[in-house]
Amino acid sequence: MESKKKQSAWITKLAGNRIIIPIVALLLLVIFNLIMDPSFFKINVGYNSAGNPILSGYLMTILDCGSELVILAIGMTLVTAATGGQDISVGAAIAISGSVILRVLCGTNSRPETLQAPIIVAFLISCIVAMLFGAFNGVLVAFFKIQPMVATLILFTAGRSIAAWINNNELPIISEPSFGYFGGFIPGIPIPTPIFIAGVCIIIIALVLKFTNLGFYTQAVGINESSSRLNGLNPTFVKFLSFVILGLCVAVVGLIKVSRISSINYSVIAKDIEMDAILAVALGGNSLSGGKFNMTASILGAYVIQFLTTTLYKFDVKSDALSAYKAVVVILLVVLSAPVVREWFAKLWKNIKAFIAPKKEAEAK
Amino acid sequence: MKKKNVKCAVPFFDTVSGGEPKVRDKTVLEMSNIHKSFHEVHALQGVDFFLREGEIHALMGENGAGKSTLIKVLTGVYSKDEGQIFLKGIDKPVSIHSPQDAQRLGISTVYQEITLCPNLSVAENIFIGRDSYGLLNWKKMNEGAGKILETLDIPTTPTQQLASCSIAVQQMVAIARAVDMDCKVLILDEPTSSLDEQEVEKLFKLMRDLKKRGVGIIFVTHFLDQVYEVCDRITVLRDGKLEGEYEIRDLPRLQLVSKMLGKELDDLSDIKAAVKIEKKENGGALFETNDLISNAGIKPFDFYIKKGEVNGFTGLLGSGRSECVRAIFGADHVVGGTVKKNGATIKIKKPIDAMRNGIGYLPEDRKVDGIIGDLSVRENIIIALQVMKGFFKPFTKAEANKFADEYINLLGIKTASADTPIKSLSGGNQQKCILARWLLTHPEYLILDEPTRGIDVGTKVDIQKLVLKLASEGMSITFISSETDEMLRTCSRLVVMRDRKVVGELKGDELTQNMIMSTIAGGEK
């Protein structure tokens, strides 16, 4: 009896928690796929063109392709919580940071025989550039108090042109195979590298949230800026910092993206990814007007979106119709997670409990 | 002049009590056996409430006694779990599911926090959401608003943007909006907390006016004087239960307080008897300012406080008393002057500098500058100390819990748990959390700006006692309050301000109500 009480308290607590939304969405998708075609979850061992063993299957695809979104969702969650707005320039910023990596690796020749600089150097330079662009957004939002969506609209508009300009509008191609490891497979390891990169990012942010006050300060500033200031915080800096962190996330995603194809397409790379990243935050049950956040929920939200995309591909939804299908599912999820509906569910649950409890007592007697 | 005003008021309130008053049944509102709970908290447990025609009825109780909840049930903000509400002239129980329902039934409310739209004009605020003005007729609207403002003697124009009016005027507009609606029941929830004495008088005149016309008024306030000045009857709630309903003449002040607290109280007078901390003439100043000036529009001021001293800033609303302490704390941008601590000049550019120098500041506006609403009680308590400790050194869960529990017990904060979001606490308990936040940093100098505004008598006494206790332990405290008695009770020295300038300092025998008034007025007795 005691344990049952605990269990029901646990359920009530979970129902009030925002993480329930992505979990339920994930479960629904899993159940749907189990019913439609259980082979969805099969993982095969195959060999790639280089003759190395690799794992393949829809699950691997989800984890692999979802990596970029997960990394972006981390930064986007912080920006959303601190500023109560979103950064819509991340797609364009990814194009820039990817372009920077290629530029450093290729030097002046767009089809180099050998790399002109170590990959790590290229990556670090792209990190600095991406963080500078993040800082640019951060200054506009935190210091000049421009609405985040308007401020980031600037880079959203200019970003892809800047990316093309960095490489003189050429499309460099890297022939060095080791550059492909970041978006593909490291020889001997059958799991796609992006999964590891995403994992590392998740671990880092978990450690940062645990061992620093980043989460606490970000939420305090997002909820009540004036009060935070009077408690000794510097709201301007906290907001600025969130954009710089997002810049770092952008650089990591940029590396994965250009590594996947060892080249770049300025107008297509990471297209519309900002909307998916914002959606991941929203699906995580986080308020888009800032304040409290749940990082785990955002990360799960990102995987839910990728799960959905992959599921739709599996059922042969044409790529041009994909967005429409996705929209329908998103509407359902967002409506279900709306506070009004959740309250309604909470009430329903209470009534069910009230209905069951007397019966059980009667049985016990 | 006064008579003329009353006459003007007639056309607007005609509709309210157009028919002849029915002598047969004087009850205009009856609430019976009202229950309401939030999760595990039973906010109301079988409360009955009667309101008669043409009476001013005080609803009293401590923080968390259920006053606000009862009001919100009546106005449809919350839905009741159980119980019935009857209105005069309607045979069956009425169901009120939204503020619109309440408004349609003739129940109007003016809340403590101003709930108007600051970006709209005064006229728009008066008429917003009213059916008759669904189609906008600007001319008619502005004319109508002008008449109402004139009648109530509110010093503003219909076209003025509400945000540019003073808080007091905004409150008056809210009242104008409520009384202009065809109301049988008018609820005033702490309407006087941001009004000065003249404005309060104006409001009382208006309330008596409405009373004569048969409107039942529910008056929620923490000011006992005001209750005894205007009210006919008192209903006391305690811990969500009905304590009793009394005729005002049957319930002396002392008894009212003990009913509210639920124990025989040693009255407010014991505070008066408490040993006031006399400042020692010989000790040097702990903190001292010279020609300090901020960008908030105050004149440069000199100020000092000694160790273990309690002093205060006094003056009318907007005289600059808050701006002075904000300048000391670095909350406003300091543009000139110096601050010295123990004789050595220190630099305070932002709040964290002040905190590092041992200053704590409880701000005037709890909602805007104090609480961080969505965060838990625990986080709200530890935030200042945490910020001082540093970004890379978060408290462990155990430490945070220890701090929170210690101060929840010490100050008697009523909360379901330390995890509860602070916004769901009552005003007084929120204030105690903010107080806990600063006590936790163990400041040498604590600035309390209106710590007792809008909170109940019991907590007020607690806070005043605490101030004296802390001072006796060596903490220096600046105490600012709109209530002069409170200042007289706690402070040993008062800095008087007028028109954003320090105009005098009172201590010792000079600390009397009359001296304060005459200093504020500028020496004209």
Side-chain angles (χ1 to χ4, degrees):
Chain A
M1 196 64 199
E2 196 46 27
S3 69
K4 263 198 183 147
K5 231 180 201 175
K6 259 186 196 162
Q7 193 188 356
S8 88
W10 183 78
I11 290 174
T12 315
K13 201 175 166 191
L14 191 69
N17 200 319
R18 40 200 96 201
I19 204 167
I20 189 83
I21 301 160
I23 288 178
V24 167
L26 209 53
L27 280 179
L28 286 178
L29 282 167
V30 168
I31 292 167
F32 174 79
N33 277 302
L34 270 179
I35 293 168
M36 298 304 286
D37 181 7
S39 71
F40 186 87
F41 298 97
K42 220 168 113 193
I43 291 175
N44 307 308
V45 183
Y47 292 91
N48 65 0
S49 52
N52 291 313
I54 54 163
L55 295 176
S56 65
Y58 288 109
L59 271 188
M60 293 317 285
T61 313
I62 292 166
L63 289 174
D64 182 10
C65 298
S67 303
E68 287 102 318
L69 203 50
V70 165
I71 297 166
L72 278 183
I74 291 171
M76 193 65 85
T77 305
L78 291 174
V79 165
T80 301
T83 67
Q86 287 73 38
D87 183 345
I88 59 167
S89 70
V90 288
I94 289 167
I96 294 176
S97 80
S99 187
V100 167
I101 291 177
L102 294 181
R103 173 75 195 194
V104 175
L105 290 179
C106 299
T108 46
N109 181 0
S110 67
R111 303 280 193 278
E113 297 291 314
T114 54
L115 295 181
Q116 303 298 303
I119 295 170
I120 182 76
V121 171
F123 174 61
L124 288 179
I125 291 175
S126 87
C127 282
I128 292 167
V129 171
M131 280 158 83
L132 280 177
F133 277 106
F136 170 75
N137 285 333
V139 166
L140 289 181
V141 172
F143 191 77
F144 291 100
K145 313 234 178 280
I146 300 172
Q147 283 177 5
M149 214 166 269
V150 179
T152 53
L153 190 61
I154 300 167
L155 194 55
F156 173 82
T157 314
R160 290 178 194 276
S161 309
I162 297 174
W165 169 77
I166 288 170
N167 273 310
N168 297 324
N169 223 349
E170 288 165 9
L171 297 177
I173 294 169
I174 307 279
S175 44
E176 167 70 36
S178 68
F179 183 66
Y181 292 170
F182 301 97
F185 293 87
I186 296 170
I189 298 174
I191 296 167
T193 322
I195 296 179
F196 290 110
I197 299 178
V200 167
C201 288
I202 292 172
I203 291 168
I204 289 175
I205 192 66
L207 291 176
V208 166
L209 288 177
K210 187 162 169 53
F211 291 108
T212 73
N213 281 310
L214 182 72
F216 188 21
Y217 288 7
T218 306
Q219 297 186 60
V221 167
I223 295 166
N224 190 338
E225 192 179 333
S226 162
S227 177
S228 304
R229 201 175 72 83
L230 291 179
N231 282 300
L233 289 178
N234 184 343
T236 310
F237 182 73
V238 172
K239 289 182 184 176
F240 175 80
L241 185 66
S242 72
F243 274 99
V244 174
I245 293 173
L246 179 57
L248 193 58
C249 297
V250 160
V252 176
V253 174
L255 175 68
I256 298 176
K257 279 282 183 201
V258 288
S259 170
R260 279 194 198 276
I261 54 172
S262 286
S263 180
I264 191 168
N265 182 335
Y266 303 114
S267 56
V268 173
I269 182 174
K271 193 156 169 42
D272 293 341
I273 201 167
E274 53 272 349
M275 291 308 148
D276 277 350
I278 295 169
L279 190 60
V281 176
L283 269 185
N286 299 300
S287 159
L288 289 189
S289 51
K292 278 195 88 84
F293 69 81
N294 185 330
M295 190 58 83
T296 318
S298 286
I299 290 168
L300 277 178
Y303 280 122
V304 167
I305 293 171
Q306 190 57 48
F307 206 125
L308 176 61
T309 313
T310 309
T311 306
L312 290 173
Y313 272 127
K314 156 127 204 310
F315 288 98
D316 285 333
V317 173
K318 287 209 178 82
S319 64
D320 44 357
L322 190 76
S323 326
Y325 279 89
K326 223 161 132 183
V328 172
V329 180
V330 167
I331 290 170
L332 275 177
L333 289 176
V334 173
V335 167
L336 280 180
S337 67
V340 186
V341 181
R342 285 173 69 194
E343 228 164 73
W344 187 79
F345 271 121
K347 232 180 209 171
L348 191 74
W349 172 242
K350 207 174 143 191
N351 288 344
I352 291 172
K353 259 201 319 197
F355 182 73
I356 294 172
K359 258 192 184 173
K360 269 189 186 163
E361 263 172 39
E363 274 169 23
K365 273 177 191 172
Chain B
M1 188 66 203
K2 270 184 183 171
K3 271 192 178 158
K4 198 179 165 194
N5 278 339
V6 176
K7 236 181 160 183
C8 279
V10 175
F12 287 99
F13 310 118
D14 252 356
T15 46
V16 174
S17 57
E20 297 97 84
K22 281 183 196 165
V23 191
R24 194 177 53 85
D25 182 16
K26 293 287 260 182
T27 305
V28 66
L29 166 75
E30 179 184 342
M31 299 175 81
S32 75
N33 195 28
I34 304 291
H35 284 265
K36 173 77 194 170
S37 38
F38 302 97
H39 306 294
E40 280 88 47
V41 184
H42 297 285
L44 291 176
Q45 305 169 40
V47 171
D48 301 327
F49 182 78
F50 295 91
L51 183 69
R52 290 154 190 80
E53 257 176 37
E55 76 164 350
I56 302 177
H57 195 129
L59 184 59
M60 306 290 290
E62 275 217 279
N63 288 325
K67 288 170 304 191
S68 299
T69 314
L70 188 68
I71 298 291
K72 284 185 176 156
V73 165
L74 179 58
T75 52
V77 177
Y78 297 149
S79 57
K80 56 185 185 298
D81 297 342
E82 222 178 282
Q84 292 176 319
I85 301 176
F86 297 93
L87 276 174
K88 193 192 149 197
I90 301 170
D91 296 334
K92 36 183 208 227
V94 292
S95 55
I96 303 172
H97 294 300
S98 69
Q100 284 76 24
D101 286 349
Q103 201 171 303
R104 241 192 316 276
L105 290 165
I107 302 171
S108 294
T109 319
V110 174
Y111 286 106
Q112 175 179 4
E113 269 91 25
I114 290 158
T115 47
L116 301 176
C117 312
N119 298 328
L120 299 182
S121 76
V122 169
E124 284 169 310
N125 267 296
I126 292 179
F127 290 109
I128 195 168
R130 308 252 301 260
D131 296 341
S132 52
Y133 285 87
L135 275 173
L136 274 183
N137 181 340
W138 290 93
K139 205 175 151 212
K140 211 170 147 193
M141 193 164 98
N142 283 335
E143 272 174 11
K147 265 190 198 167
I148 296 166
L149 295 175
E150 199 184 315
T151 314
L152 302 183
D153 206 5
I154 301 173
T156 179
T157 57
T159 47
Q160 195 175 359
Q161 197 192 339
L162 190 74
S164 67
C165 303
S166 72
I167 298 287
V169 169
Q170 293 188 24
Q171 185 83 64
M172 301 284 276
V173 171
I175 293 167
R177 171 183 160 79
V179 298
D180 184 55
M181 285 189 275
D182 189 13
C183 67
K184 293 179 204 134
V185 176
L186 175 65
I187 302 160
L188 300 174
D189 189 357
E190 294 275 359
T192 55
S193 50
S194 51
L195 303 187
D196 68 25
E197 274 171 41
Q198 290 171 350
E199 286 161 332
V200 168
E201 264 319 304
K202 227 173 268 174
L203 174 67
F204 285 175
K205 192 165 89 37
L206 177 63
M207 282 165 67
R208 293 193 186 105
D209 242 34
L210 291 167
K211 178 178 137 180
K212 267 184 219 144
R213 288 169 172 74
V215 179
I217 299 175
I218 303 173
F219 186 43
V220 183
T221 184
H222 288 113
F223 297 98
L224 295 182
D225 293 336
Q226 299 181 352
V227 170
Y228 284 91
E229 198 180 333
V230 289
C231 296
D232 306 300
R233 214 182 283 269
I234 304 177
T235 292
V236 182
L237 298 181
R238 180 157 50 81
D239 296 335
K241 292 186 191 122
L242 179 69
E243 179 71 23
E245 197 202 272
Y246 311 91
E247 288 286 331
I248 196 108
R249 58 178 172 275
D250 298 341
L251 191 69
R253 206 174 275 229
L254 199 59
Q255 277 194 23
L256 169 60
V257 173
S258 73
K259 295 255 188 255
M260 282 164 64
L261 297 181
K263 58 188 171 205
E264 288 308 314
L265 180 83
D266 32 73
D267 188 24
L268 293 164
S269 57
D270 80 321
I271 265 274
K272 277 181 192 148
V275 188
K276 208 186 263 181
I277 316 301
E278 290 300 330
K279 101 190 145 153
K280 294 173 195 88
E281 285 298 328
N282 46 6
L286 175 67
F287 283 96
E288 190 181 355
T289 74
N290 291 53
D291 289 331
L292 194 67
I293 178 167
S294 75
N295 64 352
I298 40 166
K299 306 269 163 34
F301 70 98
D302 294 345
F303 172 79
Y304 69 90
I305 187 158
K306 298 184 176 188
K307 191 170 163 56
E309 187 191 30
V310 183
N311 68 7
F313 282 91
T314 184
L316 298 175
L317 271 178
S319 60
R321 45 186 203 203
S322 296
E323 285 77 1
C324 281
V325 289
R326 285 179 68 91
I328 297 171
F329 190 68
D332 291 331
H333 183 61
V334 174
V335 290
T338 55
V339 180
K340 284 181 185 164
K341 181 184 180 187
N342 291 324
T345 305
I346 53 170
K347 250 197 170 153
I348 296 181
K349 291 186 84 177
K350 39 188 197 299
I352 187 77
D353 303 335
M355 288 157 67
R356 294 236 158 86
N357 277 299
I359 307 180
Y361 168 60
L362 183 138
E364 182 184 13
D365 193 331
R366 182 174 61 230
K367 211 168 156 191
V368 175
D369 294 331
I371 63 165
I372 300 172
D374 288 327
L375 290 186
S376 67
V377 168
R378 183 193 308 111
E379 287 166 311
N380 267 286
I381 289 177
I382 66 164
I383 184 164
L385 189 64
Q386 177 67 80
V387 171
M388 285 168 77
K389 195 179 174 207
F391 181 78
F392 292 104
K393 296 171 189 161
F395 287 122
T396 61
K397 242 187 162 162
E399 282 172 317
N401 274 327
K402 202 183 114 247
F403 287 140
D405 291 343
E406 185 187 337
Y407 279 89
I408 287 172
N409 288 332
L410 188 73
L411 298 180
I413 298 170
K414 276 184 203 153
T415 172
S417 79
D419 282 317
T420 313
I422 194 170
K423 65 178 177 188
S424 62
L425 266 58
S426 67
N429 283 312
Q430 288 180 4
Q431 193 71 301
K432 282 180 175 175
C433 291
I434 313 292
L435 203 55
R437 174 192 291 170
W438 292 111
L439 293 182
L440 185 59
T441 65
H442 298 290
E444 291 170 74
Y445 175 32
L446 183 59
I447 301 168
L448 303 174
D449 194 353
E450 295 277 9
T452 59
R453 172 184 286 180
I455 63 179
D456 65 276
V457 159
T459 312
K460 267 183 189 171
V461 174
D462 285 351
I463 288 180
Q464 290 167 25
K465 279 182 181 166
L466 187 68
V467 164
L468 294 174
K469 182 169 160 273
L470 291 169
S472 70
E473 290 165 6
M475 195 184 287
S476 309
I477 294 171
T478 291
F479 189 95
I480 299 176
S481 170
S482 290
E483 290 171 61
T484 332
D485 339 343
E486 226 175 51
M487 308 262 290
L488 289 174
R489 246 177 260 140
T490 46
C491 303
S492 59
R493 185 163 58 88
L494 284 181
V495 176
V496 183
M497 299 201 65
R498 180 184 351 119
D499 299 336
R500 313 199 148 243
K501 203 161 71 186
V502 174
V503 293
E505 193 184 287
L506 303 172
K507 56 190 168 193
D509 295 340
E510 300 166 332
L511 285 176
T512 63
Q513 196 94 17
N514 287 342
M515 269 306 280
I516 295 174
M517 289 303 152
S518 66
T519 315
I520 288 174
E524 305 149 28
K525 303 200 175 172

